[in-house]
Amino acid sequence: MTGPTPDTGTGETGNIVIDPRLRARRIAVRRDVGRRRLHRLVLLVVVAALALTTVIVLKSPILDIDEIAVSGASASDAEAIAEAAGVELGSALLLADLEGAQRRVEALPWIEEAAVTRDLPGGVVIDVIERTPSAVVAAGDAAVLVDPDGHVLSGADSASYPAAVAVFPPFVRVVVADAPPGPGGRVDPALLDAIALAGRLRENPANVVVAVLLEPTLRLELAGGGIVDFGDGDAVDAKVDAFRTIHARVDQSCIETLDLRVPTRPVLTRDEPCS
């Protein structure tokens, strides 16, 4: 004989009734899971679409490199700069390694700074700032053109200078014992004072300065055979001004030495006998 059925507290005998709040919570959880799955699916579709679009854009001939333009080059050859950049015509513009191209261009002897940019839809622009030539460093038959910091820009023999620098005024030679390095190298920093002096004398009167010597202090060799003693590299501007003043006012014949170590008290010595 069985006893009475226990009261489940559901209000009904023999049946389990789920609390409406629990039922609503379960439905909300299922809906939330469904929404998350839908969001993931949409995200995957969007990512796939973007990836496909990116591939299509990158491979599109519309964005191929059709032109490489070089600006700012005068002594340098524009075609050589474009070739050094390593950017190939017909390649994808958006995949071009512009930083690498900049480094390669700046490695050229004449180039001080470079900027490489995209010019949509199909161009690459290379803007360069060239180094400024200052003097010629020469040893025997070897001669190189250098900037004020001693960077070697180009080489030449003793008889002629490169056609690339024909647009510049004549340069004063700095005569040294050892052959200078080739283009892209850098001369001994001990020569920088001599290079600076040679640069200041580029427009020397009637080209009377044949060479700058470092023996071990700075000296000028004059076309007439005389020597100008500049001493060290201090007060170079004052010494150059004194040299130009004396050249303009003093008879240049038979000069043996002109001592400008103290530019305010120059000492002139002439050869004897002087005809």
Side-chain angles (χ1 to χ4, degrees):
M1 185 175 179
T2 61
T5 302
D7 186 357
T8 62
T10 61
E12 298 182 12
T13 303
N15 295 318
I16 299 175
V17 178
I18 299 175
D19 190 305
R21 292 174 296 178
L22 181 58
R23 181 187 297 274
R25 175 58 180 164
R26 290 180 177 177
I27 294 174
V29 169
R30 292 193 186 99
R31 289 176 178 174
D32 186 54
V33 171
R35 282 194 296 267
R36 287 200 297 270
R37 289 175 179 171
L38 179 61
H39 289 167
R40 284 196 293 268
L41 179 60
V42 171
L43 180 60
L44 289 174
V45 171
V46 170
V47 170
L50 288 176
L52 179 61
T53 302
T54 300
V55 171
I56 293 175
V57 170
L58 292 177
K59 297 297 183 179
S60 172
I62 297 176
L63 292 179
D64 283 352
I65 298 176
D66 302 318
E67 180 184 12
I68 302 173
V70 177
S71 65
S74 57
S76 307
D77 181 70
E79 291 185 4
I81 292 174
E83 182 178 353
V87 178
E88 296 183 3
L89 292 174
S91 60
L93 176 61
L94 298 182
L95 295 179
D97 179 11
L98 301 188
E99 291 185 0
Q102 176 182 332
R103 289 193 300 271
R104 290 186 287 271
V105 171
E106 290 180 340
L108 295 173
W110 273 93
I111 306 304
E112 182 174 3
E113 294 182 21
V116 184
T117 56
R118 295 180 179 88
D119 184 20
L120 296 174
V124 171
V125 178
I126 304 174
D127 295 303
V128 299
I129 298 176
E130 293 179 320
R131 299 185 187 278
T132 302
S134 180
V136 169
V137 175
D141 291 336
V144 294
L145 188 68
V146 299
D147 75 352
D149 294 324
H151 293 280
V152 179
L153 307 180
S154 57
D157 57 30
S158 59
S160 63
Y161 298 124
V165 298
V167 295
F168 298 102
F171 294 91
V172 176
R173 291 186 304 150
V174 176
V175 178
V176 296
D178 299 326
R186 193 171 183 181
V187 300
D188 188 339
L191 297 177
L192 293 185
D193 284 343
I195 292 170
L197 176 56
R200 290 282 282 107
L201 293 170
R202 279 178 57 181
E203 299 177 0
N204 65 83
N207 294 324
V208 297
V209 177
V210 174
V212 175
L213 311 174
L214 195 61
E215 303 179 335
T217 58
L218 296 173
R219 293 190 171 193
L220 307 183
E221 180 184 345
L222 302 181
I227 295 294
V228 181
D229 190 353
F230 266 62
D232 57 28
D234 293 338
V236 168
D237 289 346
K239 294 172 183 178
V240 170
D241 291 341
F243 168 69
R244 288 175 172 163
T245 299
I246 292 172
H247 179 273
R249 298 180 180 179
V250 176
D251 182 5
Q252 302 299 303
S253 61
C254 303
I255 291 180
E256 181 179 7
T257 61
L258 173 60
D259 188 342
L260 292 177
R261 289 176 295 177
V262 182
T264 56
R265 296 196 300 272
V267 178
L268 176 64
T269 303
R270 295 184 184 276
D271 284 329
E272 295 293 344
C274 181
S275 58

